[in-house]
Amino acid sequence: MGTTQLKRLKLLLLLAFTEICAAQNDITLSVFTVTSKSMTVHWSGHTGASSYKITATPKNSPERPVFAQFGGNMVMGSVNSLSPNTVYTMQLEAMDNAFNVLSSAETEETTAPEVPSIEQAYSKHSNSITVEFTEVSGATSYILRAESENSDFFSETMVSNSPGTVVQLQPYTDYKLSVMSVNSGGRSQPSYSVLGSTVVMAPKLNTSSPNNDTILVTWTPVEHAILYTLCIIKQGSSTRHKLNTTNTMVTFDDLEAGTTYCIKGTAWDSEGRPGDDLTVCQITRPPSPDVTHVQMTPGRSLGIAVYWAKAQGADNYEAWTTNGQNCTLTAHTYCYITPAECGQNQSVSVIAYNNAGPSSPSQPVDYITYPCLPDNIWVEEPKAGNCSVVWDEVELVEYYMAFIKRDDGTENSCNTTDTTCPFFCMCGYTYHTTVFPYNQAGSSPYANVRNYTTIPCCPEGVTINLVSTETLEIMWSPVKGAEMYETTAAQTNDVIHCNDTAPVCALSDLKCNTAYSVTVTPCSDLRGCNRTCMPHTHETAPCVPDILNMTKINNSTYRVLFTTPNSPNTNYTITATGRQSTHTCRSRNNSCELTQLPCGSTYEVMAVATTTVGRSLPGFSQPLETGPCCPMYVNVTQVTQAMTNVTWSPGTGARSYITTLTSPRGHAKCHTLDIHCLMGCITCGTNYSVVLEAISSTGHKSDCKYHGFSSSPCCPTSVKLYRRANNSLRVYWLSMGPQIHNHTVELYGTGANYTCIAAAGSRYCDIQEETCGDVYTVVAAPVGQNGIKVSFCQPRTYSVLCSGSNAGMVISRGRRSLN
């Protein structure tokens, strides 16, 4: 039994067991599997059913329905004798012993297409078999099944049509092949199987070229192969040469040098079937190149340049000389061999290379190198201005070329067979002399240079730079031939400050703001010193100014007073450096003003003097602290009639604050570390000026003025409550200060609450009472110009009888909370 059939049987048993154990009254139906002529369905069991009937009715077909009947303990069954590729309506009926239908269910499904048949199976590759089969109606795809004879290999390959190929097979192996058709309903039964065999593998060819007209091919024996066929073709040609052999080695000769040949190998089995083929390409070794030219290389590096004709099929080349020198592999048709010794007579050969290996060496070509240079060259000057270049004699030289080049670019030369060449020489110049010997190969690309310097002239381009406030650096163009330079200054009694070979000198420890006359004298051991050179004048940096004091002009401006120890027209720069900003001022006098200094800042202030020569050292710095910043805002809030709460924002640099409220009727003052202050002694109905003084931790102060503050109107006094004859209540009071404010009166009783408003100048307010004999809390308060009632006037509690005295009796004088 196959693996797939065993799985299906296990599933059927599990489903049957599940349906027997679970009694259900609602029946369901589903298709389990289909084939070309059968359909297997699965249903849920129904309580009381003694049998089940399945009817398969073809849809859109005149064919007759087909049915099958099953026992009451079954939950799966098949209907056979169906038509391929046909849509069927599957109906399930659960019946009792009297064949009454208890429940029913329906579903639709399509049968698989017809079973295709294999026409032929063949193998062209050792790992695949191609199957040609009949295509059937309704099939959307096909499955090719391949099984080995010993059942150790099984595969299914989906293909869209015929022919199809099964891959990943083993070489020279028999397989059973079958085909199934597939549609949306499922797959058909497998066709009758046919036997197919894969062919043998291709031989793995290994090629090499022992020489430029031969290719050697070898391979390992192929299993089950009895014959091999090799076919060789030259690249770019249609001529083929085929060879059958039972050996595993073949040599192809009489081939073209440097040419690529492609060789295809095929193995044959005992049944005469060709197996896979494998093609490899091999190039023959290149022919020997022909050397066309050999010459000495130009330039300073002595070598030889070898040129040759291009060899067919060559990738790169290498040249060898008879003294063992060679050039690196190159793809060009020339190369350079360096270094080459002078006075040599050698020969050179060239070898071509490609992937197959090297060619045979070319015919050697002789060459001659340049002559050697003289061992010694020197200059003689028997009389000032008359010089001669002299050198040792060199053998095998036809003539000499001597070159005398002055350091200003002037050049002389002479062509001679002697070993001397005269020339005119001037003072202060260096002469570069060279000698080139010539022979048939030419001259050496380089020569030994001998320098000769006459008596030094005065230096050109003398520059004096101020490198520090009290040091001058003197530089000049080197004088060729000068072996020592003396540097003096007239203001130091012509003391030699430098006696050196370098064209630079530093005069240090000089006086500031002083002009020095400096002379540079070149010297030579042979010629002595040139004392005719002119002096050069330069001034040292200005002297350092000192800050005397700093005076505050206003909150953002400070005047700085400093010393002026230098000559007139010296510029002085005062710099104040802080954490966030830097401020400067400039002056030619002894003071200048630093402006726009931000409040609450600390600066280091220093002075620097500047002339056309340079800057002085910075003077000693002095600390400068600006006054603390005024708060951005101050808020004054009245808490009671005689007390206010003043708050403000922090001021940068301020540690403490003094707040003052001032008016003609008095003032209040508070000194605190906080940013708020509770202040008393406030008179109602009064305008106050608001001044705040910010004080830093070091005692610096800033005066800050803000908008004025007006205290609230005064609360009324002598508040009394009367009953009038018409059952109304009158609240009477006395006003303090100018009577320019409206008043609001509020009565709070146990029975009712009353409110009335009195116009400015009025001192009473009448309220019509609804219920007499109550206890009232009375609050009379003025209304400010902003329309807001004063909130801190004191309430009073009165008891007014319905008969008797008209005046209310005061029970208590309450006090409102400050909150």
Side-chain angles (χ1 to χ4, degrees):
M1 181 179 295
T3 302
T4 304
Q5 294 175 342
L6 181 59
K7 290 182 178 178
R8 290 179 180 176
L9 180 58
K10 289 181 179 179
L11 180 59
L12 289 175
L13 294 175
L14 177 61
L15 293 173
F17 178 75
T18 302
E19 294 301 330
I20 292 172
C21 293
Q24 300 178 4
N25 292 323
D26 295 330
I27 193 168
T28 60
L29 179 66
S30 61
V31 176
F32 185 67
T33 60
V34 298
T35 65
S36 301
K37 296 184 178 182
S38 67
M39 194 174 298
T40 301
V41 295
H42 165 252
W43 62 86
S44 59
H46 192 279
T47 304
S50 61
S51 64
Y52 297 94
K53 180 180 179 182
I54 301 173
T55 304
T57 304
K59 192 175 183 180
N60 302 324
S61 175
E63 296 182 6
R64 296 173 60 83
V66 180
F67 70 91
Q69 198 159 352
F70 303 92
N73 59 347
M74 298 294 289
V75 293
M76 182 177 288
S78 299
V79 180
N80 301 319
S81 301
L82 303 181
S83 298
N85 195 39
T86 302
V87 179
Y88 280 89
T89 300
M90 305 299 292
Q91 183 184 39
L92 173 69
E93 295 176 322
M95 298 179 292
D96 58 12
N97 290 329
F99 298 102
N100 295 317
V101 177
L102 302 177
S103 180
S104 64
E106 287 187 357
T107 187
E108 286 187 359
E109 188 55 271
T110 305
T111 55
E114 292 183 357
V115 179
S117 61
I118 296 177
E119 295 178 344
Q120 65 171 333
Y122 53 87
S123 173
K124 290 186 177 181
H125 301 283
S126 61
N127 64 345
S128 66
I129 295 178
T130 301
V131 181
E132 295 182 1
F133 52 88
T134 59
E135 298 184 5
V136 297
S137 175
T140 58
S141 60
Y142 300 89
I143 296 176
L144 299 179
R145 179 179 292 174
E147 298 178 80
S148 61
E149 288 188 328
N150 56 3
S151 299
D152 62 349
F153 176 81
F154 177 86
S155 73
E156 289 186 344
T157 304
M158 183 75 71
V159 298
S160 58
N161 50 31
S162 176
T165 301
V166 182
V167 296
Q168 296 181 350
L169 304 179
Q170 296 297 319
Y172 201 72
T173 303
D174 295 332
Y175 293 92
K176 291 188 294 182
L177 306 167
S178 58
V179 62
M180 294 172 282
S181 58
V182 181
N183 64 4
S184 60
R187 59 172 67 178
S188 70
Q189 297 90 337
S191 66
Y192 290 110
S193 61
V194 298
L195 190 63
S197 299
T198 52
V199 297
V200 294
M201 295 178 62
K204 296 182 179 179
L205 304 180
N206 299 312
T207 60
S208 62
S209 176
N211 49 58
N212 59 16
D213 65 348
T214 301
I215 292 178
L216 175 64
V217 185
T218 62
W219 62 93
T220 57
V222 177
E223 189 176 3
H224 305 295
I226 63 171
L227 182 67
Y228 304 97
T229 298
L230 299 182
C231 181
I232 184 170
I233 182 173
K234 184 175 70 173
Q235 195 174 52
S237 172
S238 60
T239 303
R240 302 170 183 265
H241 176 66
K242 184 179 291 186
L243 173 67
N244 293 327
T245 181
T246 57
N247 296 326
T248 57
M249 180 178 69
V250 171
T251 300
F252 294 98
D253 49 17
D254 295 331
L255 305 179
E256 292 185 17
T259 303
T260 300
Y261 291 86
C262 292
I263 303 154
K264 181 173 73 173
T266 306
W268 298 75
D269 60 19
S270 58
E271 300 175 13
R273 295 183 304 168
D276 286 343
D277 58 69
L278 176 68
T279 300
V280 296
C281 294
Q282 173 68 50
I283 190 172
T284 54
R285 295 194 183 192
S288 299
D290 294 329
V291 178
T292 58
H293 183 61
V294 179
Q295 69 177 32
M296 300 303 295
T297 57
R300 298 186 58 83
S301 178
L302 188 61
I304 61 170
V306 184
Y307 298 87
W308 56 87
K310 185 175 182 180
Q312 179 177 332
D315 295 330
N316 43 47
Y317 306 87
E318 187 176 23
W320 286 87
T321 64
T322 50
N323 61 348
Q325 289 181 296
N326 71 310
C327 59
T328 57
L329 290 175
T330 176
H332 303 292
T333 56
Y334 61 89
C335 76
Y336 303 101
I337 299 178
T338 57
E341 296 181 1
C342 61
Q344 296 292 313
N345 186 3
Q346 303 289 340
S347 62
V348 62
S349 298
V350 179
I351 300 174
Y353 293 85
N354 62 12
N355 293 334
S359 70
S360 299
S362 66
Q363 292 295 324
V365 175
D366 296 332
Y367 65 92
I368 297 176
T369 61
Y370 302 128
C372 296
L373 297 174
D375 290 335
N376 296 306
I377 300 175
W378 65 95
V379 176
E380 296 177 353
E381 188 178 6
K383 185 178 179 181
N386 294 330
C387 298
S388 296
V389 182
V390 185
W391 59 89
D392 292 339
E393 185 178 0
V394 179
E395 295 182 354
L396 303 177
V397 174
E398 297 181 3
Y399 63 94
Y400 301 93
M401 284 292 296
F403 296 91
I404 303 95
K405 186 173 183 180
R406 200 167 65 183
D407 53 11
D408 63 352
T410 303
E411 186 174 354
N412 294 322
S413 64
C414 62
N415 185 340
T416 179
T417 57
D418 295 330
T419 59
T420 183
C421 178
F423 67 96
F424 173 73
C425 51
M426 293 178 61
C427 72
Y429 284 95
T430 296
Y431 295 87
H432 309 282
T433 61
T434 56
V435 176
F436 291 92
Y438 283 81
N439 65 7
Q440 295 179 358
S443 174
S444 174
Y446 64 94
N448 297 324
V449 179
R450 294 294 180 265
N451 297 335
Y452 179 76
T453 303
T454 59
I455 186 170
C457 297
C458 291
E460 297 290 339
V462 176
T463 60
I464 303 177
N465 296 316
L466 183 68
V467 295
S468 70
T469 56
E470 299 172 351
T471 301
L472 294 176
E473 183 186 43
I474 301 94
M475 303 179 67
W476 57 91
S477 299
V479 177
K480 303 304 180 183
E483 297 169 351
M484 196 71 65
Y485 301 94
E486 295 178 357
T487 305
T488 59
Q491 287 72 19
T492 59
N493 298 321
D494 290 331
V495 173
I496 299 177
H497 291 268
C498 294
N499 188 6
D500 200 351
T501 58
V504 61
C505 179
L507 275 62
S508 57
D509 194 23
L510 304 178
K511 294 181 180 181
C512 58
N513 198 231
T514 303
Y516 285 86
S517 179
V518 181
T519 302
V520 178
T521 301
C523 300
S524 171
D525 288 342
L526 295 177
R527 304 298 179 183
C529 298
N530 191 340
R531 302 294 179 182
T532 63
C533 299
M534 298 297 295
H536 300 268
T537 302
H538 201 282
E539 186 178 345
T540 54
C543 300
V544 179
D546 292 325
I547 295 176
L548 299 177
N549 61 38
M550 292 177 285
T551 305
K552 180 178 179 180
I553 304 302
N554 54 47
N555 288 340
S556 63
T557 303
Y558 286 78
R559 177 176 289 115
V560 183
L561 183 65
F562 48 88
T563 61
T564 56
N566 299 292
S567 58
N569 297 327
T570 299
N571 294 316
Y572 296 91
T573 301
I574 309 301
T575 303
T577 304
R579 290 185 177 180
Q580 303 295 332
S581 62
T582 300
H583 299 263
T584 60
C585 65
R586 294 175 176 82
S587 174
R588 289 189 177 182
N589 301 318
N590 63 346
S591 68
C592 72
E593 292 183 356
L594 294 170
T595 61
Q596 298 181 351
L597 299 178
C599 59
S601 301
T602 301
Y603 293 91
E604 290 290 331
V605 182
M606 65 178 184
V608 176
T610 306
T611 64
T612 56
V613 177
R615 291 165 56 92
S616 71
L617 292 174
F620 295 113
S621 63
Q622 299 289 339
L624 172 62
E625 180 181 352
T626 60
C629 296
C630 291
M632 295 294 294
Y633 65 86
V634 173
N635 293 328
V636 184
T637 305
Q638 193 160 359
V639 179
T640 67
Q641 186 167 290
M643 188 167 59
T644 60
N645 186 25
V646 184
T647 61
W648 55 89
S649 60
T652 303
R655 187 176 70 175
S656 63
Y657 305 89
I658 297 177
T659 306
T660 305
L661 302 180
T662 305
S663 74
R665 304 176 64 180
H667 71 280
K669 191 173 185 179
C670 173
H671 191 181
T672 179
L673 296 174
D674 300 322
I675 57 173
H676 57 83
C677 189
L678 193 63
M679 303 176 68
C681 301
I682 302 302
T683 303
C684 58
T686 303
N687 293 329
Y688 287 88
S689 61
V690 181
V691 177
L692 185 143
E693 189 175 20
I695 307 172
S696 70
S697 60
T698 58
H700 286 74
K701 298 180 180 180
S702 294
D703 295 328
C704 312
K705 295 182 179 180
Y706 300 92
H707 291 295
F709 160 70
S710 297
S711 60
S712 64
C714 299
C715 292
T717 62
S718 301
V719 178
K720 293 181 175 58
L721 179 64
Y722 298 95
R723 177 179 298 283
R724 303 183 69 193
N726 57 356
N727 290 329
S728 65
L729 297 176
R730 171 169 288 183
V731 179
Y732 178 81
W733 63 85
L734 294 177
S735 297
M736 298 177 63
Q739 299 180 15
I740 60 174
H741 300 285
N742 296 340
H743 283 73
T744 178
V745 179
E746 297 175 348
L747 277 74
Y748 301 96
T750 58
N753 298 329
Y754 305 99
T755 302
C756 72
I757 298 175
S762 178
R763 293 186 296 176
Y764 66 90
C765 188
D766 294 334
I767 298 173
Q768 187 68 36
E769 185 182 23
E770 296 178 359
T771 304
C772 67
D774 201 351
V775 175
Y776 294 100
T777 298
V778 179
V779 179
V783 179
Q785 294 180 356
N786 55 5
I788 300 175
K789 180 189 72 173
V790 176
S791 62
F792 43 74
C793 293
Q794 294 182 357
R796 289 173 172 80
T797 304
Y798 296 89
S799 176
V800 181
L801 301 177
C802 292
S803 61
S805 173
N806 290 333
M809 181 178 64
V810 178
I811 297 177
S812 66
R813 297 188 180 187
R815 178 170 297 181
R816 286 183 177 268
S817 172
L818 297 180
N819 295 330

